[in-house]
Amino acid sequence: MSKKLTSRSEDYSKWYNELVVKSDLAENSGVRGCMVIKPYGFAIWEKMQAQLDKMFKETGHENAYFPLFIPKSYLSKEASHVEGFAKECAVVTHYRLKNAEDGSGIIVDEDAKLEEELIVRPTSETIIWDTYRKWVQSYRDLPIMINQWANVVRWEMRTRLFLRTAEFLWQEGHTAHATREEAVEEAEQMMHVYAEFVEDYMGVPVIKGTKTESERFAGAEETYCIEALMQDGKALQAGTSHFLGQNFAKAFDVKFATKEGNQEYVWATSWGVSTRLMGALVMTHSDDNGLVLPPKLAPIQVVIVPIYKGLDQLDAISEKVEPLVKALRSKGISVKYDKRDTHKPGFKFNEYELKGVPVRIAVGQRDLENGTFEVARRDTLEKMSIKAEDVVVRIDGLLHEIQENIYKKAFDFRKAHMTKVDSYDEFKRIIEEKGGFVSAHWDGTKETEDRIKEETKATIRCIPFNEEKEEGKCMVTGKPSNQRVLFAKAY
């Protein structure tokens, strides 16, 4: 199997696009800007989904489902929200088709125009808050802690598989609280949940922080985020959690009776991660040979490939392998024994290297005679011979080692690409030549933020969370600043 991947150093963007397609994660569909997530890619997403869902439920959330369609009037109730999404909305105007009288095909039936247009959800705050109005009467009805797994549509013109598509899969949490403090605590908690998942399961180090006013979610009072760094030195926003204040409660008149009998508006949050995490996974760990997957999310953690001549040898190898498969599975390790006779071992080695399977075991006649297995790890491409009686324990340990190693490699890369600067000239040089995160003082104004973005294409990724204050001067204007913020070019 010839991989023929463009190298990262030659063209990182092309390498990424080729890798997503050739490793069977996803492909472009017949609908412009939309993708087909293939079984191997969807298996990774399912593992992400299962773990996140577990973490959400452990923090008191329940799953529900709300409509795909949102009446246009709902979207216009919260001014900054509609302004933030207006240019990305897909709109349904008619509800019926008919055959053209001239026989040219199917056309829209102009007599079937909707009284009110429907928006295909770009996000669900409006339809959910209209629903919460019916659910909330008193403080006894709070908090509401709802999550939904869904698809959303944001009409993107320039798309890239997983990173930016017109339709994508995600989860969106929407909670309602009696007090501001509860809602802020919820929004911060979910930022920490996302960070824990991305670091512990994806093996991707992140920086937690808040967004600047101009980068906040439309309709939010505060946006918390986790930012990751890709191998090309660009940042990727891996997840966001929003404190919405009472904006949506006021827009949809969601009030509750307090213990004292007063009427007050509820306090809100929303938070979400999407299939964009798949892009982060690919770009953080993978190499010129293909995917490198963290064992905790790999659909196949161990693949076993027999090397044989004739069915007698295959039968002998299978007899040795089957107890190993059972022993590994009993430890919760996912194993595939690939004894297809339609492909040679070399093809299979290339295939599983491309697909990022963490551990590969090869078994041939010599291994049977020596009572050993040849074990190869995907992260370092290192091979080792392990005695049959030790192999289960060694592989169990090896999977943990690989998980830790790919995180450390990504962490070291980020550390090497984190630069403090004090002058705008140095900032521009680092952004252009080195990339990565650049820590610098900023005067807090939108004008300076916009100027930096226009002149360098770098944006403020976050104001780091719980970081020490540091007096300084804005690198552009020289005005006072009490904290460094993180800049980067970003996806």
Side-chain angles (χ1 to χ4, degrees), residues 327-393:
L328 289 169
R329 285 179 179 162
S330 72
K331 286 187 165 289
I333 296 168
S334 59
V335 189
K336 179 176 180 178
Y337 177 34
D338 188 350
K339 55 181 180 179
R340 290 175 295 172
D341 60 5
T342 51
H343 297 86
K344 292 182 178 179
F347 178 96
K348 295 175 186 178
F349 290 171
N350 273 336
E351 178 182 8
Y352 295 117
E353 189 170 270
L354 179 64
K355 288 191 168 187
V357 175
V359 174
R360 185 189 75 223
I361 300 175
V363 193
Q365 187 63 34
R366 187 180 297 171
D367 297 297
L368 290 185
E369 292 165 2
N370 295 338
T372 59
F373 292 102
E374 183 190 89
V375 176
R377 52 188 288 178
R378 176 63 185 87
D379 60 333
T380 62
L381 302 177
E382 177 190 358
K383 292 179 185 176
M384 61 201 88
S385 182
I386 299 176
K387 289 180 181 178
E389 59 267 29
D390 299 333
V391 75
V392 174
V393 173

Side-chain angles (χ1 to χ4, degrees), residues 175-186:
T175 68
H177 305 267
T179 68
R180 177 189 184 93
E181 292 72 26
E182 258 187 54
V184 169
E185 187 180 335
E186 163 75 5

Side-chain angles (χ1 to χ4, degrees), residues 298-342:
I300 305 164
Q301 293 172 308
V302 178
V303 65
I304 304 172
V305 178
I307 302 169
Y308 62 94
K309 291 179 182 176
L311 288 177
D312 288 347
Q313 277 192 15
L314 177 60
D315 289 343
I317 290 169
S318 296
E319 194 176 321
K320 192 81 172 173
V321 164
E322 281 163 14
L324 173 59
V325 171
K326 285 182 182 175
L328 289 169
R329 285 179 179 162
S330 72
K331 286 187 165 289
I333 296 168
S334 59
V335 189
K336 179 176 180 178
Y337 177 34
D338 188 350
K339 55 181 180 179
R340 290 175 295 172
D341 60 5
T342 51

